């Protein structure tokens, strides 16, 4: 469900704006002055929608349209080709997404939701409120670049630009350009197609640029931030598994999980995934350590079939299992409740008993923590501090800690700068790519509508000579595309909000 506080804030804010607008427009004393103030600033208000339009950027658009005409001709022709290909590709992608959504609706496997290429984003549900600033900034940037492409392409084709504007609908920001319709209608269909395809083309280029910047970020930040030396802890969720006096702290550098080295965030995730799906790691301890005074516990079977021998729920002891040291052919296991930190500090990991005898001259035994199914004991190495010892589900550890690949070379540098750049670039890649896909769909009120109409006029004139028939073909194609997009949005919203 949508968070109630967020919904109340949005609805309350819009109600206050609309009520103020209605009162001022109905006031005999303030109506003329208020409407003049709105018109002078290019503002328009309606329920859940505010729009601002200006002509101050027209000279900038005209200047951009005059830069290297031949290069721009090739540039916008490339956009035309991309737009036509994207129109077909977006339909295929929406059909595939609809199939995935329907399959998820009939399946009980929650992981299937992560396999969808396109997902409906609802702030506060599948978009954390802490990420809203990134989302809206990336969405606004993608919209501005999209409309910049339309404006420059239109001026190249001698179509006048009346103005540029920004709007907010409910909570979603966007941008638009106002083109002179008369000029737009008298140019050829190919020229129209260049203008209509320019928006999705620029979104695609912005997506590639953000992806390249994200890939080259370690090089750009190399003078002030180092990478490859571990994963830097940027945030620890309070009260989570990694929090506490012997847990992780902001600024710690994680270099290993058990025997899995960690050089960055990707290694952290892959190591946790590997440890989740692998048998519990064992530890080589000297045979002399396994003394009766250490309370060989009487093991009892848990409900899931595993054994425990520490019935006092101690925070410092853990039940270990091992094969009887006497007789190499013995298959009987023994259990001992022992101080966990003392047992595993500085010891070598092992998978079998042979791992211990092969690397040490001291008689050692491979002991393994006896835990519930899917629970793991993990040593987190973050020098110069002592190991953090974690017992639980590995995904809980992953969600409890936020990390970054970038380690500041100087103490005055902020830890969040690389995180901000990384996160913002990822949102730009996702949202700009999504705008390129959605706007390419042959759907009413989207760029795809005008792209399809111009494409049919440019290609079917000799095949279907009757203009009304071409318009009828276009209408049914737009109807199918609109239904496909509406089905994806409706089912996507239901999947996000109903589960």
């Amino acid at each position: 469900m949508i968070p109630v506080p967020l919904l109340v804030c949005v609805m309350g804010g819009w109600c206050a704006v609309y009520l103020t607008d209605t009162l001022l427009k109905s006031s005999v004393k303030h109506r003329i002055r208020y409407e003049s103030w709105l018109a002078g600033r290019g503002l328009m208000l309606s329920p859940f929608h505010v729009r601002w339009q200006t002509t101050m950027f027209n000279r900038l658009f005209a200047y951009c349209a005059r830069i290297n005409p031949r290069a721009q001709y090739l540039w916008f022709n490339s956009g035309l080709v991309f737009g036509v290909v994207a129109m077909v590709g977006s339909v295929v992608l929406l059909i595939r997404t609809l199939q995935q959504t329907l399959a998820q609706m009939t399946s009980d496997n929650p992981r299937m939701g992560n396999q969808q290429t396109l997902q409906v984003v609802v702030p506060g549900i599948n978009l954390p409120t802490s990420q809203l600033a990134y989302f809206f900034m990336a969405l606004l940037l993608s919209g501005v670049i999209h409309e910049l492409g339309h404006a420059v392409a239109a001026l190249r084709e001698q179509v006048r630009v009346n103005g540029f504007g920004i709007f907010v609908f409910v909570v979603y920001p966007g941008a638009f350009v106002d083109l002179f319709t008369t000029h737009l209608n008298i140019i050829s269909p190919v020229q129209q197609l260049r203008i209509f395809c320019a928006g999705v083309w620029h979104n695609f280029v912005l997506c590639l640029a953000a992806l390249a910047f994200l890939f080259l970020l370690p090089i750009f930040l190399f003078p002030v931030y180092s990478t490859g030396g571990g994963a830097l802890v940027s945030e620890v969720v309070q009260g989570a598994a990694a929090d506490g006096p012997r847990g992780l702290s902001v600024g710690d550098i994680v270099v290993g999980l058990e025997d899995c080295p960690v050089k960055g965030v990707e290694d952290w995730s892959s190591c946790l995934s590997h440890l989740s799906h692998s048998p519990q790691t064992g530890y080589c301890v000297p045979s002399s350590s396994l003394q009766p005074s250490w309370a060989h516990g009487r093991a009892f079977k848990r409900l899931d079939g595993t054994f425990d021998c520490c019935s006092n729920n101690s925070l410092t002891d853990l039940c270990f299992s091992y094969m009887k040291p006497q007789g190499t052919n013995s298959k009987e296991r023994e259990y001992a409740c022992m101080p966990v930190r003392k047992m595993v500090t500085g010891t070598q990991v092992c998978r079998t008993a042979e791992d211990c005898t092969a690397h040490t001259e001291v008689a050692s035994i491979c002991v393994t923590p006896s835990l519930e199914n899917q629970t793991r004991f993990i040593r987190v190495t973050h020098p110069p501090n002592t190991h953090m010892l974690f017992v639980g589900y590995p995904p809980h550890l992953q969600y409890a800690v936020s990390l970054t690949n970038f380690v500041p070379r100087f103490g005055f540098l902020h830890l969040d700068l690389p995180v901000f750049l990384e996160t913002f670039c990822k949102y730009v890649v996702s949202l700009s790519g999504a705008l390129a896909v959605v706007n390419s769909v042959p759907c009413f009120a989207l760029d795809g509508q005008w792209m399809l109409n111009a494409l049919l006029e440019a290609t079917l004139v000799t095949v279907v000579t009757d203009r009304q028939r071409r318009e009828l073909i276009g209408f049914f194609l737009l109807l199918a595309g609109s239904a496909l997009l509406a089905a994806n949005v409706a089912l996507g919203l239901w999947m996000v909000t109903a589960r």
Side-chain angles (χ1 to χ4, degrees):
M1 296 294 293
I2 297 177
V4 175
L6 180 62
L7 185 62
V8 169
C9 289
V10 172
M11 295 297 295
W14 277 112
C15 288
V17 170
Y18 185 64
L19 180 61
T20 304
D21 179 66
T22 303
L23 290 175
L24 289 173
K25 285 183 178 179
S26 60
S27 172
V28 177
K29 180 179 180 181
H30 301 288
R31 176 181 177 181
I32 297 177
R33 184 182 302 176
Y34 174 65
E35 290 181 346
S36 299
W37 182 84
L38 289 178
R41 286 159 178 78
L43 291 171
M44 292 183 62
L45 290 173
S46 59
F48 301 102
H49 183 266
V50 59
R51 189 172 82 163
W52 170 71
Q53 183 173 338
T54 181
T55 59
M56 68 172 61
F57 300 106
N58 286 11
R59 289 187 178 181
L60 175 62
F61 296 150
Y63 172 77
C64 294
R66 293 193 298 267
I67 299 174
N68 200 334
R70 179 169 179 78
Q72 289 204 26
Y73 176 78
L74 297 174
W75 176 261
F76 286 106
N77 275 339
S78 300
L80 185 152
V81 175
F82 172 80
V84 174
V85 174
M87 190 160 42
V88 178
S90 63
V91 172
V92 174
L93 188 59
L94 284 181
I95 293 174
R96 180 173 177 81
T97 303
L98 186 60
Q99 292 174 339
Q100 292 172 341
T101 304
L102 292 173
Q104 185 185 357
M105 291 174 64
T106 57
S107 173
D108 295 330
N109 185 4
R111 294 184 179 180
M112 290 191 66
N114 299 326
Q115 299 173 0
Q116 288 181 281
T117 308
L118 294 175
Q119 287 185 329
V120 176
V121 176
V122 180
I125 297 181
N126 59 348
L127 175 66
T129 54
S130 60
Q131 304 280 302
L132 287 179
Y134 295 108
F135 176 80
F136 290 131
M137 286 190 299
L139 186 60
L140 183 59
L141 175 62
S142 301
V144 169
I145 297 299
H146 179 99
E147 299 302 329
L148 174 64
H150 285 313
V152 175
L155 290 171
R156 276 200 72 262
E157 306 298 342
Q158 307 303 313
V159 175
R160 191 178 76 192
V161 176
N162 295 328
F164 166 84
I166 294 174
F167 67 89
V168 176
F169 177 69
V170 187
V171 294
Y172 296 97
F176 66 92
V177 288
D178 182 15
L179 303 181
F180 191 53
T181 307
T182 304
H183 289 176
L184 193 60
N185 290 333
I186 62 177
I187 61 177
S188 69
V190 175
Q191 289 177 299
Q192 292 177 357
L193 200 54
R194 290 197 196 102
I195 296 173
F196 298 141
C197 293
V200 296
W201 168 240
H202 279 73
N203 276 139
F204 175 70
V205 172
L206 176 63
C207 179
L208 292 182
L211 196 61
F213 183 82
L214 188 63
F215 180 76
L216 298 174
L217 191 59
I219 298 177
F220 295 147
L221 297 180
F222 178 77
V224 288
Y225 291 89
S226 63
T227 58
L232 179 70
V233 178
S234 59
E235 182 182 1
V236 180
V237 177
Q238 188 174 5
D243 190 26
R246 290 194 174 182
L248 295 175
S249 303
V250 174
D252 288 350
I253 301 176
V254 178
V255 297
L257 295 173
E258 291 298 341
D259 56 343
C260 185
V262 174
K263 295 183 179 179
V265 178
E266 294 78 12
D267 291 341
W268 164 272
S269 300
S270 62
C271 286
L272 282 177
S273 177
H274 172 72
L275 293 172
S276 299
H277 299 92
S278 300
Q280 173 64 55
T281 306
Y283 304 92
C284 296
V285 299
S287 302
S288 57
S289 299
L290 298 172
Q291 299 176 1
S293 60
W294 280 41
H296 284 263
R298 177 182 294 178
F300 60 92
K301 186 180 268 190
R302 300 187 182 98
L303 294 177
D304 61 355
T306 59
F307 288 86
D308 190 14
C309 57
C310 294
S311 57
N312 58 349
N313 296 321
S314 172
L315 297 177
T316 60
D317 297 343
L318 192 66
C319 183
F320 289 85
S321 68
Y322 57 95
M323 301 300 294
K324 280 189 176 182
Q326 65 272 16
T328 56
N329 295 326
S330 175
K331 298 295 183 181
E332 185 179 354
R333 301 196 70 87
E334 287 197 353
Y335 297 86
C337 183
M338 297 175 286
V340 59
R341 184 170 293 276
K342 185 174 182 179
M343 287 294 297
V344 303
T345 300
T347 58
Q348 176 191 340
V349 297
C350 58
R351 303 291 178 182
T352 62
E354 289 74 15
D355 294 337
C356 297
T357 58
H359 297 88
T360 179
E361 297 180 356
V362 180
S364 299
I365 297 177
C366 185
V367 299
T368 306
S370 181
L371 302 169
E372 296 177 283
N373 290 334
Q374 300 181 353
T375 304
R376 295 291 184 271
F377 173 82
I378 301 174
R379 291 186 305 182
V380 181
T381 307
H382 56 120
N385 303 300
T386 58
H387 291 93
M388 185 194 84
L389 306 182
F390 169 81
V391 178
Y393 298 107
H396 292 178
L397 180 58
Q398 186 166 7
Y399 298 142
V401 184
S402 297
L403 302 107
T404 176
N405 292 321
F406 298 89
V407 180
R409 297 182 185 273
F410 308 101
F412 62 87
L413 293 173
H414 207 286
L415 299 179
D416 292 336
L417 175 60
V419 176
F420 169 80
L421 295 175
E422 276 188 310
T423 308
F424 181 67
C425 285
K426 290 177 181 178
Y427 271 98
V428 170
V429 170
S430 299
L431 293 175
S432 190
L435 283 178
V437 171
V438 173
N439 273 287
S440 299
V441 179
C443 172
F444 292 108
L446 294 179
D447 287 349
Q449 175 183 357
W450 316 113
M451 291 163 59
L452 178 66
N453 290 337
L455 180 63
L456 294 180
E457 288 297 318
T459 57
L460 294 185
V461 175
T462 57
V463 180
V464 183
T465 56
D466 187 7
R467 183 181 181 87
Q468 290 185 345
R469 289 187 178 181
R470 293 197 302 271
E471 291 178 351
L472 189 62
I473 293 173
F475 173 79
F476 282 112
L477 290 176
L478 288 173
L479 194 62
S482 301
L484 179 62
L485 182 60
N488 273 276
V489 173
L491 292 179
L493 279 174
W494 183 85
M495 292 297 296
V496 169
T497 58
R499 287 195 171 187

